[in-house]
């Protein structure tokens, strides 16, 4: 038996997987985000720990025999967050999250201090990444920065609580802007740009390697006969890729979660910073990946649902069963800024093309289409950097909507595959990494492809109409940029 533990922004999800890779039990505990100022996004790491304890205690109640046989535990989780610890391991301040945009100015400063950062760290400095956050803390909270002795990403901090070890995997470390992504080691130059040293950072390992064991008292508390080995784990997207079996060059998927990701696996480092494409290490050895990221994917629909005061399924039910033409309205999904291709934390979204005849269903359709067009930006960025994405699996909560998947297939002009279980995501990948760490099995043996339930091919008429609408969508960016500010 193997546990996959996924530390998300909205909750901690824990699953137990058996030797046949069947899910025996699942538990999810909710989390909330604090936004003390516009553009800020924080969480208390102690809330992660309480949610983790509750989730694992729930698994023990639900499946005590399975918990007793757990041999390995894997971690996946939200990337880029900065957990700052003092010399005793005490958390010094709330974690600054991946979608926090306060460090925009510090991105410029980081690249000024480290001009080779884009070639070595393989990414543009963006406020969501970890390094600019530390420069912000040094400037605005100097007493906190002076007391900082360790910097951990969210799931590495969770490992620290589980095992007492400070260890991070390559995929998550790639999103810090402190990793030499090609060499798979910390960059002394990148750390020096933030007045840090390698001793501040956790040790590095591959995602399928053993990286500590669950503390004895915790293992007893959760009904485990032995102390499970804890795998290196993965950042959330790499965990999803492992869960899908997307570990071979050319494997691609689209994650329609809170944020949106278009991923493709590569056999070497392929940098695409010109269009804001991310290039990270994969969670398995000698493998890398590229991804285009849109900040508000399913979050856009969730926002619209809150504004309307209507649940998302009810909003979607107002749409025709088969979308025949684009909405007359256009939605720009820049609710939290945008990464690919703009690297713009200040841009803000909105509706355009509204008239007296515009109804709620038209605006809901425009939201789905706006997110699809942002994925088209990601696809074009990947292709411009040399990656070929000819098809993709679809995962995440948004994949439940056949309408949305059909819109996406037409906007991207590629076949999209819906999966029989497209929402396990990072937790299932984490369980697979736990198995490899415990047994020594090879990734090709464990990371089998996900089972598909349906292939959605692009509708020719809708594809052609969206090709024209994407031109309008892109032309609107400069105008919206002119009126956007830090809000």
């Amino acid at each position: 038996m193997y546990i996959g533990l996924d530390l998300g922004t909205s909750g901690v999800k824990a699953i137990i997987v058996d030797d046949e890779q069947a899910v025996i039990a699942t538990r999810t505990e909710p989390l909330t985000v604090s936004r003390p100022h516009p553009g800020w996004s924080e969480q208390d790491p102690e809330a992660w720990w309480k949610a983790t304890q509750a989730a694992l205690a729930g698994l023990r109640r639900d499946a005590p025999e399975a918990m007793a046989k757990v041999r390995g535990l894997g971690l996946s989780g939200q990337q880029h967050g900065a957990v700052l610890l003092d010399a005793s391991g005490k958390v010094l301040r709330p974690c600054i999250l991946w979608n926090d945009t306060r460090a925009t100015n510090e991105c410029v400063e980081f690249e000024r201090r480290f001009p080779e950062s884009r070639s070595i760290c393989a990414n543009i400095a963006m406020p969501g990444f970890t390094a600019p956050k530390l420069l912000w803390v040094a400037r605005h909270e100097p007493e906190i920065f002076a007391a900082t002795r360790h910097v951990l990403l969210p799931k590495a901090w969770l490992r620290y609580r589980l095992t007492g070890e400070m260890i991070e995997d390559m995929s998550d470390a790639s999103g810090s802007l402190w990793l030499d992504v090609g060499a798979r080691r910390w960059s002394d130059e990148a750390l020096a740009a933030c007045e840090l040293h390698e001793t501040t950072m956790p040790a590095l390992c591959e995602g399928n390697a053993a990286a500590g064991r669950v503390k004895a008292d915790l293992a007893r508390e959760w009904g485990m006969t032995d102390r499970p080995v804890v795998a290196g784990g993965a950042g959330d997207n790499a965990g999803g890729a492992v869960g899908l079996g997307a570990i071979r060059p050319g494997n691609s998927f689209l994650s329609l979660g809170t944020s949106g990701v278009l991923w493709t696996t590569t056999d070497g480092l392929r940098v695409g910073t010109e269009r804001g494409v991310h290039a990270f290490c994969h969670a398995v050895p000698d493998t890398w990946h590229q991804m285009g990221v849109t900040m508000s994917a399913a979050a856009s629909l969730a926002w619209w649902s809150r504004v309307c005061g209507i649940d998302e399924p009810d909003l979607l039910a107002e749409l025709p069963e088969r979308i025949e033409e684009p909405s007359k309205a256009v939605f720009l999904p820049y609710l939290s800024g945008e990464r690919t291709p703009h690297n713009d934390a200040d841009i803000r979204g909105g509706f355009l093309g509204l008239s007296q005849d515009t109804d709620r269903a038209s605006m809901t359709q425009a939201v789905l289409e706006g997110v699809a067009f942002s994925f088209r930006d990601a696809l074009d960025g990947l292709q411009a950097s040399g990656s070929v994405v000819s098809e993709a699996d679809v995962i995440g909560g948004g994949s439940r909507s056949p309408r949305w998947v059909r819109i996406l297939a037409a906007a991207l002009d590629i076949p999209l595959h819906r999966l029989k279980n497209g929402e396990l995501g990072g937790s299932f990948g984490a369980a697979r990494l736990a198995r490899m760490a415990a047994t020594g099995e090879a990734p090709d043996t464990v990371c089998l492809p996900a089972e598909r339930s349906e292939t959605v091919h692009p509708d020719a008429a809708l594809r052609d109409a969206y090709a024209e609408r994407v031109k309008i969508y892109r032309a609107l960016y400069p105008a919206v940029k002119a009126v956007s500010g830090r809000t």
Side-chain angles (χ1 to χ4, degrees):
M1 298 290 176
Y2 309 95
I3 288 177
L5 191 62
D6 182 59
L7 169 57
T9 312
S10 59
V12 172
K13 182 173 185 177
I15 66 172
I16 303 179
V17 177
D18 67 13
D19 289 338
E20 303 302 319
Q21 302 208 34
V23 176
I24 302 302
T26 69
R27 276 281 178 159
T28 300
E29 294 293 329
L31 295 170
T32 59
V33 175
S34 172
R35 302 186 185 277
H37 300 284
W40 290 30
S41 182
E42 300 182 341
Q43 284 180 327
D44 179 3
E46 194 62 31
W48 304 338
W49 180 240
K50 291 178 180 177
T52 298
Q53 288 180 302
L56 292 173
L59 288 184
R60 182 183 185 181
R61 291 192 298 271
D62 294 343
E65 294 182 4
M67 284 291 278
K69 298 176 183 177
V70 169
R71 301 174 59 192
L73 185 150
L75 298 167
S76 67
Q78 51 170 293
Q79 295 194 261
H80 314 318
V83 184
L84 310 184
L85 308 179
D86 67 12
S88 68
K90 178 185 176 183
V91 175
L92 291 168
R93 70 171 326 283
C95 176
I96 306 175
L97 300 186
W98 60 275
N99 56 352
D100 188 289
T101 61
R102 75 186 74 178
T104 299
N105 294 335
E106 285 71 21
C107 292
V108 177
E109 177 64 13
F110 177 78
E111 293 195 343
R112 186 193 68 79
R113 294 185 184 187
F114 185 26
E116 298 82 16
S117 65
R118 294 192 182 188
S119 60
I120 292 176
C121 303
N123 292 276
I124 298 175
M126 299 182 177
F129 290 160
T130 323
K133 295 178 172 69
L134 267 291
L135 290 178
W136 186 93
V137 172
R139 179 181 179 184
H140 296 278
E141 299 175 350
E143 71 288 351
I144 297 293
F145 186 81
T148 298
R149 294 295 177 271
H150 305 283
V151 180
L152 298 180
L153 299 172
K155 87 169 194 310
W157 181 84
L158 203 55
R159 181 199 319 280
Y160 177 57
R161 292 298 300 265
L162 287 165
T163 70
E165 303 283 350
M166 294 188 183
I167 303 173
E168 186 54 278
D169 91 286
M170 300 295 178
S171 70
D172 218 354
S174 297
S176 67
L177 284 184
W178 291 315
L179 193 76
D180 182 331
V181 177
R184 301 173 90 94
R185 62 173 178 79
W186 294 121
S187 165
D188 291 336
E189 297 86 354
L191 289 166
C194 297
E195 302 177 31
L196 300 174
H197 188 269
E198 189 171 348
T199 56
T200 314
M201 308 308 295
L204 289 169
C205 72
E206 297 293 345
N208 60 341
R213 287 185 177 274
V214 175
K215 293 176 181 178
D217 60 328
L218 295 175
R220 287 193 297 271
E221 178 183 338
W222 296 322
M224 300 167 176
T225 303
D226 298 312
R227 295 174 59 197
V229 64
V230 178
D236 49 6
N237 293 299
V242 171
L244 291 172
I247 63 169
R248 300 158 190 84
N251 291 160
S252 302
F253 68 87
L254 185 154
S255 175
L256 197 52
T258 301
S259 61
V261 170
L262 185 61
W263 163 299
T264 188
T265 305
T266 60
D267 56 1
L269 177 61
R270 188 175 296 152
V271 180
T273 54
E274 294 81 4
R275 296 203 187 186
V277 169
H278 300 346
F280 289 174
C281 299
H282 206 323
V284 293
D286 302 318
T287 311
W288 287 259
H289 69 90
Q290 285 188 309
M291 59 185 181
V293 178
T294 180
M295 291 294 286
S296 298
S300 292
L301 182 60
W303 165 81
W304 180 232
S305 171
R306 291 196 304 273
V307 170
C308 295
I310 298 174
D311 291 341
E312 294 172 34
D314 294 331
L315 281 175
L316 295 173
E318 294 178 343
L319 299 179
E321 195 68 31
R322 187 174 182 85
I323 305 294
E324 300 290 350
E325 60 181 2
S327 170
K328 296 297 189 295
V330 177
F331 175 72
L332 302 175
Y334 306 137
L335 304 179
S336 299
E338 190 57 293
R339 288 198 185 177
T340 309
H342 302 300
N343 183 27
D344 189 342
D346 295 342
I347 191 69
R348 290 296 179 261
F351 286 103
L352 294 99
L354 304 183
S355 72
Q356 295 285 356
D357 297 325
T358 303
D359 59 14
R360 187 170 59 211
S362 296
M363 297 176 76
T364 300
Q365 182 179 332
V367 170
L368 305 187
E369 290 171 346
V371 173
F373 300 156
S374 70
F375 274 109
R376 182 63 197 228
D377 278 344
L379 175 64
D380 290 352
L382 290 171
Q383 292 179 335
S385 64
S387 290
V388 177
V389 181
S390 57
E391 61 178 350
D393 292 328
V394 185
I395 64 172
S399 66
R400 292 193 299 264
S401 170
R403 297 176 181 88
W404 208 349
V405 175
R406 184 168 179 270
I407 288 171
L408 284 159
L412 299 178
D413 193 20
I414 60 173
L416 296 178
H417 309 290
R418 300 181 71 203
L419 307 178
K420 287 196 172 179
N421 198 337
E423 296 180 56
L424 288 176
S427 57
F428 189 66
R432 283 181 159 180
L433 292 168
R435 174 172 173 166
M436 288 183 271
T439 66
E441 292 173 277
D444 283 342
T445 302
V446 176
C447 301
L448 305 176
E451 190 173 359
R452 294 167 175 170
S453 62
E454 178 188 16
T455 296
V456 179
H457 294 277
D459 177 275
L462 202 55
R463 176 198 62 203
D464 294 343
Y466 282 159
E468 293 302 312
R469 186 56 61 92
V470 166
K471 295 177 184 178
I472 298 172
Y473 171 85
R474 289 174 174 166
L476 290 169
Y477 174 78
V480 174
K481 174 68 173 173
V483 298
S484 292
R486 301 305 300 274
T487 59

